[in-house]
Amino acid sequence: MNRLPLVSPLDRILFLKAQPYLLGQPPEVLTALASYSEEVFHPRGTRIRDAGGRVDRILFLAQGRVDIIEGGDARAPARSVTAPGVVGLAHHFAGTESAPEVRAARDTLCLEIAVQDLDPILEDHFTLCLGFAQRGGAEVLARSRASAERPDEAGFAAPDHRATPVVLDPVQKLAQARRSPFFRGANLTVLGQLVRFQDPERIAVGDRLWRIGDPIERMALVLDGRFHTEGPFAIGRAASGAVIGAWEILEEGLHEESWVAEAAGRILWIDRHAFVDLLEDHWEFAEAYLRHSSCRLVSSWEAEESLPLRS
């Protein structure tokens, strides 16, 4: 590893501006990141990070490529990140206790920022937090849709499969929302603000939550019932306790697949603008979204890397 002579703050800002995860960020965010980062050159073959322990710094690659190796086994399938790209972000947000080894597959130039410097910037600048959340959610959705065996959206645990009351008072709505894996551990006051004005909507077999081409305006907490996707991607499924549309809720585009009820049930709608407002006003709520999406990403990477080696 070679620490390079310092370049101008403007050069660092231009470097960061070209990073996909930082596209569209305002100058004050890029300036804050640039002021806490440093340029580092890693020759080919350098071990940038040993396996084990938590991620302590995030790498934004300017040139080169790195390989990410689970368990430090050089024979294991490696996941590669090529410049421009970011390394360490998902494992940091997921709170991974034993992060994978990172090696320079080519001569690699990057800007590095310590996580203890990044986190306060995220908390102070919602545009950066929202940008990371959008990219993370989009990557979760893209990987899920491309999977040969698309994972179901997480719902109530098996012991929690019980019928919800026909009529829900505010406390019962809050309790049902908190049982969902997506909202588990969420601050009760924040979660209450999200669901208090929403009444359950009955869904019949064949009803669509939205159609392809509809604007992304809300997501749905499934109180009871079952759903599957229709569209150009692998079929996805969701049942009681799942939050449908969670990974695209931060986007301002159009739906690319529809969700269809295959059993009668009920849902609670969650408005996109209300959700984003709460993310902005409550850092721990935004942090939880980053953690959920990052855990999904890390799990999908680990599943790929655990496949048997081909001879």
Side-chain angles (χ1 to χ4, degrees):
M1 176 180 68
N2 298 311
R3 305 198 180 278
L4 303 179
L6 295 179
V7 299
S8 72
L10 178 58
D11 287 335
R12 290 187 183 182
I13 290 172
L14 293 176
F15 172 102
L16 293 167
K17 188 177 181 180
Q19 293 294 309
Y21 261 70
L22 299 174
L23 290 178
Q25 291 298 324
E28 59 268 22
V29 171
L30 299 176
T31 299
L33 291 172
S35 65
Y36 284 98
S37 59
E38 64 176 344
E39 307 85 356
V40 181
F41 176 74
H42 297 281
R44 179 180 178 180
T46 302
R47 181 180 292 133
I48 299 173
R49 183 177 67 217
D50 292 329
R54 285 178 172 267
V55 170
D56 61 351
R57 64 193 190 278
I58 307 301
L59 282 61
F60 292 99
L61 307 186
Q63 66 182 42
R65 191 190 81 202
V66 301
D67 287 342
I68 301 171
I69 307 165
E70 290 290 343
D73 184 354
R75 297 175 303 123
R79 178 172 56 87
S80 296
V81 177
T82 302
V86 63
V87 176
L89 206 57
H91 285 93
H92 170 53
F93 290 146
T96 304
E97 294 289 346
S98 183
E101 177 183 333
V102 179
R103 289 188 182 184
R106 301 175 187 163
D107 288 350
T108 300
L109 173 65
C110 60
L111 272 187
E112 297 185 0
I113 181 169
V115 296
Q116 65 263 29
D117 295 324
L118 174 65
D119 288 346
I121 297 173
L122 271 171
E123 191 170 354
D124 291 340
H125 298 276
F126 180 66
T127 56
L128 180 60
C129 177
L130 182 61
F132 283 168
Q134 287 173 327
R135 294 283 302 193
E139 190 168 349
V140 167
L141 196 57
R143 291 181 65 84
S144 177
R145 287 170 171 173
S147 174
E149 296 183 4
R150 184 171 176 173
D152 295 347
E153 295 301 318
F156 296 144
D160 285 341
H161 273 301
R162 54 184 182 266
T164 56
V166 175
V167 178
L168 297 178
D169 61 30
V171 174
Q172 289 171 325
K173 284 192 292 186
L174 181 59
Q176 291 300 315
R178 202 160 190 241
R179 285 175 58 208
S180 169
F182 186 78
F183 291 120
R184 188 168 294 148
N187 180 282
L188 289 176
T189 301
V190 176
L191 193 53
Q193 293 179 51
L194 194 63
V195 302
R196 61 181 173 174
F197 296 122
Q198 305 300 320
D199 291 321
E201 179 177 321
R202 292 187 179 277
I203 299 293
V205 175
D207 284 353
R208 284 173 167 76
L209 298 182
W210 47 73
R211 296 179 181 274
I212 295 174
D214 286 349
I216 299 172
E217 297 175 334
R218 52 190 181 174
M219 57 187 181
L221 168 60
V222 182
L223 298 176
D224 35 52
R226 297 191 309 276
F227 294 81
H228 67 267
T229 59
E230 284 186 357
F233 311 107
I235 296 176
R237 299 187 184 279
S240 302
V243 177
I244 297 175
W247 307 124
E248 56 190 334
I249 191 63
L250 302 180
E251 301 293 338
E252 296 182 347
L254 305 177
H255 287 290
E256 297 180 352
E257 62 184 358
S258 61
W259 282 86
V260 184
E262 56 185 51
R266 291 174 302 159
I267 61 170
L268 270 180
W269 287 114
I270 297 173
D271 179 74
R272 176 185 184 276
H273 294 293
F275 185 70
V276 173
D277 286 346
L278 287 175
L279 292 180
E280 183 171 9
D281 293 341
H282 301 274
W283 161 244
E284 72 279 2
F285 199 55
E287 192 176 28
Y289 185 93
L290 291 169
R291 182 171 61 254
H292 287 316
S293 60
S294 296
C295 285
R296 278 283 297 264
L297 280 177
V298 170
S299 294
S300 69
W301 293 333
E302 291 175 347
E304 287 183 355
E305 289 159 351
S306 66
L307 294 175
L309 293 174
R310 294 182 179 179
S311 57

